[in-house]
Amino acid sequence: CVFGRNNFDSFVLKYEYFNAVLINEVDEEGNNVELGGEFLLEPNDHFNNLSVNLSLSVVQVPTNMYNKDPDIVNGVYWSEALNKVFVDNFERDPTLIWQYFGSAKGFFRQYPGVKWHPDEHGVIGFDCRNRKWYIQAATSPKDVVILVDVSGSMKGLRLTIARQTVSSILDTLGDDDFFNIIAYNQEIHYVEPCLNGTLVRADRTNKDHFREHLDKLFAKGIGLLGDALAEAFTILSDFNQTGHGSLCSQAIMLVTDGATEMYDDVFEKYNWPERKVRIFPYLIGRESAFADNLKWMACANKGYFSQISTLADVQENVMRYLHVMSRPKVIDHEHDTVWTEAYVDSALKDKAGPSLMTTVAMPVFSTKNETVSEGILLGVVGTDIPLQELMKLIPKHMLGIHGYSFAITNNGYILTHPDLRPLVTQFLNITFSPEKIFPVNDLLFQINSKNHQSMTLLSG
Ligand SMILES: *[C@@H]1O[C@H](CO)[C@@H](O)[C@H](O)[C@H]1NC(C)=O
Ligand SMILES: *[C@@H]1O[C@H](CO)[C@@H](O)[C@H](O)[C@H]1NC(C)=O
Ligand SMILES: *[C@@H]1O[C@H](CO)[C@@H](O)[C@H](O)[C@H]1NC(C)=O
Ligand SMILES: *[C@@H]1O[C@H](CO)[C@@H](O)[C@H](O)[C@H]1NC(C)=O
Ligand SMILES: *[C@@H]1O[C@H](CO)[C@@H](O)[C@H](O)[C@H]1NC(C)=O
Ligand SMILES: *[C@@H]1O[C@H](CO)[C@@H](O)[C@H](O)[C@H]1NC(C)=O
């Protein structure tokens, strides 16, 4: 259950890379800033006249992480070999647009090189590990029940951190996943009482809806975890038996400031010996008096224990569970490619308006002999594909005179349709920022069918 830290050589610390935000930035004296440097950029027609560098990739590190962290620098160093692969790919297939590698350590390597601009607050919120393509490729579909302790001891900052933790867990769930959230003290309370005893799809509408309910939680009473665990195991097992869920992995996320017991009788009754449901306890706060019980629960149920002391720790700690959930994939050498739902990329629009894109992505695992059984996920590679390119592959002669083709994703989202047009025309400004990428199904779209009936789609 314990992950060791990577050793690194001190030379790596001196290694410099092109940071997407810092390139071409100068200090007051006109010198290039560290990790910046002169980076030649030229407008390129294929990238809608965005200025890019076709021989090098750039690296982006989330604002809340130290961009010279040894783990990051080490990863950036070995992933530099991708430059050649990216360039070769682009030479072989000039229709390609962005190619990238999102690392499990948090950095994002993108080709061709392009300058990134922070928002008005000087922040780039982008963390590749939160993107749909990353999560979809890194983990198998999963059913998750989140248990939040709302006993009296959680009052104040702890509850704030707990809410943020739950919200970050929701960020890591996607359309292929199912979830529910249960708050517990001496009783159990479904955060959304109307969705009692079941799991719902982790699409954006449902996640936003549950987030609103999180604000209404308040702490009082004593925490009795046993009933909450029993309820969670029951929902997961019922859901699997009806064949509704992900039919893949199941997990219980436990957000609490401590457990006074081990609850081995509950695990014995519901989860042993197969241990099909993994338990991920998140200990909130600085104290670790009850950490031992939580660590034991994680180990006894194939999970992972994390302690979250401050709000700043939340995201990094929450993401760790993704490693454990992707482990079976690594060990089984499952290199499935995944396709995301269509989205609008505002940075690459043509005369007809913003282009619709999908992303195809694939997980990257460590193949070192000594770590292969631990199942280490290094990150996810991906490339964006304009849907127009996909449409070109469809053999026209097979469709007949009035025939046309369209595609939907496995989750029922529209991927392509010949008459799919955004009704929103606000994508006029081109400064590159991945935050300006909108999933199609969150916008209003209109399909005009041949006989002039129109169908308007508004979906989450
Ligand atoms: C990319 O940037 C590097 C560093 O500034 C420069 O040496 C190289 O010529 C640039 N490549 C292209 C194709 O502009
Ligand atoms: C890019 O710029 C060139 C020259 O300024 C122009 O002819 C071309 O239409 C532009 N392409 C796009 C896609 O805007
Ligand atoms: C769930 O709903 C059922 C029936 O509406 C009710 O009897 C039960 O007490 C509810 N359970 C919880 C935990 O709210
Ligand atoms: C869900 O049900 C299937 C089929 O009965 C079974 O093979 C699988 O192990 C179950 N998964 C879990 C997590 O219980
Ligand atoms: C790695 O393991 C495989 C199979 O166990 C073995 O054939 C191979 O020689 C090993 N490679 C190295 C570099 O030890
Ligand atoms: C894009 O936005 C910037 C700053 O918000 C503004 O100065 C510029 O005029 C805008 N460009 C277009 C084409 O709207």
Side-chain angles (χ1 to χ4, degrees):
C1 278
V2 182
F3 284 159
R5 281 180 75 83
N6 282 344
N7 287 327
F8 57 91
D9 298 319
S10 53
F11 85 91
V12 159
L13 285 175
K14 299 197 198 85
Y15 167 77
E16 291 236 340
Y17 58 90
F18 285 114
N19 183 297
V21 182
L22 300 174
I23 50 172
N24 301 336
E25 295 285 326
V26 289
D27 59 19
E28 289 115 34
E29 280 139 38
N31 300 316
N32 287 319
V33 301
E34 220 182 347
L35 300 182
E38 215 169 294
F39 195 77
L40 219 64
L41 293 168
E42 277 181 67
N44 186 298
D45 203 25
H46 183 61
F47 292 88
N48 288 66
N49 288 350
L50 215 57
S51 290
V52 298
N53 180 316
L54 291 179
S55 49
L56 292 174
S57 55
V58 287
V59 171
Q60 175 263 348
V61 177
T63 305
N64 62 357
M65 294 178 81
Y66 177 43
N67 58 24
K68 296 185 83 178
D69 180 291
D71 274 349
I72 292 203
V73 176
N74 191 21
V76 171
Y77 177 73
W78 62 251
S79 67
E80 203 177 64
L82 285 172
N83 271 331
K84 184 174 175 339
V85 180
F86 290 150
V87 172
D88 287 352
N89 285 344
F90 190 49
E91 273 170 13
R92 266 189 303 156
D93 183 355
T95 64
L96 278 176
I97 36 178
W98 307 111
Q99 303 176 56
Y100 39 80
F101 170 65
S103 149
K105 302 282 183 212
F107 70 85
F108 180 67
R109 185 181 275 284
Q110 180 186 30
Y111 172 88
V114 63
K115 169 99 178 145
W116 284 39
H117 299 277
D119 65 14
E120 59 269 29
H121 310 294
V123 176
I124 292 189
F126 183 85
D127 186 324
C128 56
R129 296 167 300 177
N130 272 340
R131 309 312 284 194
K132 281 193 170 176
W133 51 269
Y134 187 98
I135 293 161
Q136 252 176 278
T139 61
S140 315
K142 49 199 174 298
D143 301 334
V144 174
V145 176
I146 305 171
L147 301 180
V148 204
D149 186 347
V150 290
S151 63
S153 62
M154 292 290 289
K155 257 199 190 97
L157 179 62
R158 286 185 184 173
L159 195 59
T160 309
I161 299 176
R163 278 196 197 105
Q164 188 58 42
T165 303
V166 175
S167 183
S168 287
I169 294 171
L170 293 182
D171 284 339
T172 66
L173 303 180
D175 291 326
D176 295 329
D177 306 319
F178 291 82
F179 77 105
N180 205 335
I181 308 176
I182 301 174
Y184 70 93
N185 40 28
Q186 60 273 39
E187 285 163 16
I188 61 173
H189 314 270
Y190 279 87
V191 166
E192 164 52 284
C194 300
L195 295 167
N196 152 348
T198 185
L199 298 177
V200 297
R201 184 187 294 282
D203 60 27
R204 185 184 290 226
T205 316
N206 285 338
K207 292 198 286 186
D208 287 348
H209 183 76
F210 274 76
R211 278 202 181 93
E212 282 167 23
H213 282 275
L214 282 180
D215 295 337
K216 297 179 200 149
L217 293 181
F218 68 106
K220 68 165 192 195
I222 47 167
L224 296 179
L225 177 56
D227 290 347
L229 280 173
E231 180 78 8
F233 279 120
T234 309
I235 311 179
L236 288 172
S237 142
D238 289 354
F239 204 63
N240 190 43
Q241 265 157 30
T242 56
H244 277 116
S246 64
L247 299 176
C248 245
S249 349
Q250 296 196 318
I252 296 174
M253 308 305 209
L254 176 57
V255 182
T256 175
D257 61 350
T260 49
E261 284 179 50
M262 287 156 81
Y263 297 101
D264 42 344
D265 51 333
V266 181
F267 300 126
E268 172 106 56
K269 180 167 175 198
Y270 293 98
N271 207 29
W272 292 347
E274 294 91 353
R275 303 192 296 168
K276 279 191 178 151
V277 180
R278 293 173 189 266
I279 311 257
F280 296 92
Y282 293 96
L283 177 64
I284 306 297
R286 291 184 192 282
E287 284 166 53
S288 38
F290 300 117
D292 287 347
N293 284 336
L294 294 177
K295 282 182 190 162
W296 178 87
M297 282 180 209
C299 285
N301 296 284
K302 289 164 71 179
Y304 189 86
F305 166 85
S306 316
Q307 181 160 9
I308 302 183
S309 323
T310 67
L311 273 174
D313 289 347
V314 169
Q315 197 182 26
E316 210 49 38
N317 277 298
V318 164
M319 301 244 194
R320 298 218 167 116
Y321 92 88
L322 290 174
H323 275 275
V324 181
M325 292 294 257
S326 53
R327 209 175 279 162
K329 265 190 138 171
V330 184
I331 292 166
D332 298 342
H333 297 281
E334 269 182 54
H335 284 231
D336 309 332
T337 49
V338 298
W339 295 80
T340 64
E341 64 173 292
Y343 55 86
V344 176
D345 187 339
S346 59
L348 292 179
K349 65 183 175 66
D350 55 26
K351 284 155 215 91
S355 30
L356 292 179
M357 300 279 196
T358 175
T359 294
V360 58
M362 199 182 210
V364 181
F365 306 125
S366 170
T367 54
K368 279 190 188 159
N369 264 12
E370 57 277 23
T371 58
V372 105
S373 62
E374 289 168 38
I376 294 183
L377 174 78
L378 298 176
V380 174
V381 282
T383 185
D384 296 345
I385 298 179
L387 293 176
Q388 285 163 346
E389 293 297 322
L390 282 188
M391 295 300 268
K392 283 184 197 160
L393 300 176
I394 295 165
K396 296 270 178 329
H397 63 275
M398 287 177 66
L399 295 172
I401 293 168
H402 296 295
Y404 62 88
S405 58
F406 64 95
I408 59 173
T409 70
N410 58 326
N411 290 314
Y413 294 121
I414 288 192
L415 201 52
T416 71
H417 188 288
D419 294 324
L420 181 65
R421 299 267 183 280
L423 292 180
V424 186
T425 51
Q426 64 202 8
F427 311 104
L428 293 172
N429 219 327
I430 315 177
T431 48
F432 184 80
S433 155
E435 302 308 322
K436 292 190 184 135
I437 286 174
F438 304 89
V440 164
N441 294 279
D442 291 348
L443 302 171
L444 259 184
F445 271 77
Q446 192 170 47
I447 294 176
N448 292 310
S449 72
K450 296 276 184 277
N451 53 7
H452 303 291
Q453 284 182 339
S454 75
M455 177 164 88
T456 302
L457 302 169
L458 175 57
S459 138

